[in-house]
Amino acid sequence: MEPQSESKATQATAEEDWSAVFVHAGAGYHSVPNEPAHREACASACRAAIAFLKNGGSATDGVEMALKSLEDNEITNSGYGSNLSLDGTVECDASIMEDSGRSGAVGAVRDFKNPSALARLVLENTRKPLSLKRVPPILLVGPGACDYAKQHCFPLVDNKVLVTRHAHARWTKWRKELDIAEHEGRAVNKRQRACRNPSSTSKTAAEKATMKAPMQPDGEDLVTDTVGCICVDRWGNVAAGSSSGGIGMKHRGRIGPAALIGVGTWISREGQSVVAATCSGTGEQMAHTLIASKSVNRMMTMEDEIEALGKSIEEDFMGSRIVKESIMSSAVGIMAIKIDKDSSKDRIRFLYGHTTDSMVMAHMTPSMKDPETIMSRNRNNPETCIGGKSIQACKLAME
């Protein structure tokens, strides 16, 4: 009996522990003076998630904890400290997806400190049947999401609590710039109506007045995009999620990619292979290109994951007609992982790519004392900046 018990123990200690957490705090422009704060925001999110994963928590638990940590940090554009809408209020989007295909999401919600937690509630309730064979929702928005939260005793906060001093200062600055641009546009239109054949100079001035965008001074961030997380639990289950306050000066009710499965977040499982991605960038263009799902599909089918990610950014996003013909600035950042549990290398492939000036990320496994943070800076903007590395799976110690 003793040799058999010893054999079982040896076999148990050889099992893989796939636990790992990967987070990003948005693609955009991260100022050098604020770089340490952005790195620490990602590191703190990793620590929050790994604490759950090390104690047997699920991948979904890890994603929720990481996103909540990012939402509570005012330097990120999610939850507390989000960009403000045109009327000066905070509206947030969030989603969480599991490799089973289940998901939960909320959009344009205004009275929640942690929209990711509400998305988790929606996700969990998809497992519960409703009376009369009704189908549980997977995406709730606006007042309907608020009613749903109240029904489930989910905590609400006053919207003013979510507005930080820095966010309000940005909004005030952009509000003045927008008022000036609109005044210039009206003046140009008035001159054009007074002239039957407006000159090309007038047209150019009108276009500039219409397309004028807020500019950031040196030392100020311009990160208007989604934060995201991908977690793997010890059994190799994968979950991913996104959270965002959306673009500054947006219309109330605007739904961004953080709430849209397949756009901001996507996971695909085929046999023992899993690919997950969470994205950041110009939301409307991401929605038109379905960039999360397309990048995952390429990484699942192509042998070289780095090449697959590069092709997805260059061809599926930047090469798409909707992006080429857009009058808006085009930007995307993708963080992804690929696992093949049939592989003898016991590894997780960590990948990222972005067309923006910068993208900040971090990752952590149970064997790491501290998270490893990355501030990827695009030296050849607007070229695509690509990176990646292999993360070794730990061995699960069992008695």
Side-chain angles (χ1 to χ4, degrees):
M1 293 297 292
E2 290 183 1
Q4 185 177 2
S5 300
E6 184 178 349
S7 176
K8 286 184 178 181
T10 302
Q11 183 178 359
T13 56
E15 292 182 4
E16 294 86 2
D17 178 2
W18 291 94
S19 299
V21 55
F22 307 85
V23 303
H24 74 81
Y29 170 77
H30 302 78
S31 70
V32 174
N34 285 341
E35 180 173 326
H38 288 290
R39 286 179 178 267
E40 181 54 33
C42 290
S44 294
C46 284
R47 295 186 192 101
I50 209 71
F52 272 74
L53 298 177
K54 287 174 69 173
N55 288 282
S58 70
T60 310
D61 291 329
V63 168
E64 182 185 358
M65 291 304 106
L67 291 181
K68 288 170 69 174
S69 175
L70 291 167
E71 290 165 349
D72 290 344
N73 193 319
E74 70 172 288
I75 202 167
T76 70
N77 177 33
S78 59
Y80 175 66
S82 291
N83 284 323
L84 304 186
S85 301
L86 198 58
D87 66 350
T89 60
V90 169
E91 281 195 343
C92 296
D93 306 317
S95 63
I96 298 179
M97 183 179 184
E98 299 174 337
D99 59 11
S100 64
R102 289 186 180 274
S103 65
V106 293
V109 293
R110 52 167 285 131
D111 297 320
F112 306 101
K113 187 170 182 285
N114 296 116
S116 60
L118 183 56
R120 172 73 185 275
L121 175 66
V122 174
L123 167 62
E124 292 302 326
N125 285 341
T126 64
R127 310 180 203 278
K128 304 173 183 178
L130 296 177
S131 60
L132 300 178
K133 297 183 179 181
R134 289 175 297 148
V135 179
I138 61 171
L139 170 61
L140 291 167
V141 301
C146 185
D147 292 341
Y148 184 89
K150 291 177 181 177
Q151 178 185 343
H152 291 86
C153 301
F154 193 90
L156 279 70
V157 299
D158 189 306
N159 195 263
K160 293 179 181 178
V161 175
L162 303 176
V163 180
T164 64
R165 179 172 57 86
H166 291 296
H168 189 267
R170 286 197 304 269
W171 177 83
T172 301
K173 173 176 173 288
W174 292 348
R175 180 73 260 183
K176 290 178 180 178
E177 291 180 348
L178 183 60
D179 289 343
I180 292 171
E182 290 178 344
H183 176 74
E184 291 176 353
R186 287 192 295 269
V188 170
N189 290 336
K190 185 176 180 179
R191 289 196 297 270
Q192 287 180 338
R193 288 194 298 269
C195 180
R196 291 184 178 181
N197 297 306
S199 66
S200 59
T201 304
S202 297
K203 291 180 181 179
T204 302
E207 291 171 355
K208 288 182 178 179
T210 303
M211 297 174 61
K212 185 177 180 181
M215 298 296 292
Q216 77 281 6
D218 291 339
E220 182 178 331
D221 298 322
L222 187 60
V223 185
T224 60
D225 303 313
T226 307
V227 303
C229 174
I230 303 171
C231 278
V232 187
D233 63 28
R234 64 174 53 181
W235 302 280
N237 302 307
V238 181
S242 302
S243 181
S244 179
I247 55 176
M249 311 305 286
K250 65 183 179 181
H251 285 282
R252 288 284 303 277
R254 180 254 190 187
I255 303 296
L260 302 175
I261 297 298
V263 176
T265 300
W266 187 249
I267 305 177
S268 178
R269 178 187 284 276
E270 292 184 9
Q272 293 298 301
S273 296
V274 184
V275 179
T278 176
C279 308
S280 176
T282 306
E284 281 66 23
Q285 294 173 352
M286 291 167 61
H288 278 117
T289 56
L290 299 174
I291 188 60
S293 60
K294 287 184 179 179
S295 63
V296 166
N297 290 342
R298 281 188 183 268
M299 285 183 278
M300 181 65 79
T301 57
M302 293 178 63
E303 185 173 346
D304 189 325
E305 301 93 349
I306 289 286
E307 181 184 359
L309 182 58
K311 278 185 173 293
S312 187
I313 292 174
E314 296 294 342
E315 297 179 14
D316 298 331
F317 187 79
M318 298 300 293
S320 68
R321 181 176 177 180
I322 193 70
V323 171
K324 284 182 175 179
E325 296 179 353
S326 176
I327 62 171
M328 301 179 291
S329 60
S330 303
V332 70
I334 303 174
M335 183 185 75
I337 67 163
K338 183 176 183 180
I339 305 175
D340 185 354
K341 291 194 285 186
D342 283 336
S343 172
S344 59
K345 296 181 180 180
D346 298 335
R347 65 185 177 92
I348 302 173
R349 187 71 167 143
F350 170 45
L351 312 152
Y352 60 87
H354 58 100
T355 63
T356 56
D357 289 286
S358 54
M359 186 170 181
V360 59
M361 294 154 286
H363 70 274
M364 190 175 188
T365 64
S367 62
M368 296 169 62
K369 183 179 179 181
D370 294 302
E372 180 179 325
T373 62
I374 301 169
M375 176 61 80
S376 175
R377 295 196 178 274
N378 194 343
R379 305 301 180 188
N380 299 309
N381 189 276
E383 298 296 323
T384 302
C385 183
I386 298 283
K389 64 181 296 184
S390 292
I391 310 296
Q392 187 72 29
C394 302
K395 296 300 179 181
L396 181 62
M398 299 179 62
E399 296 181 358

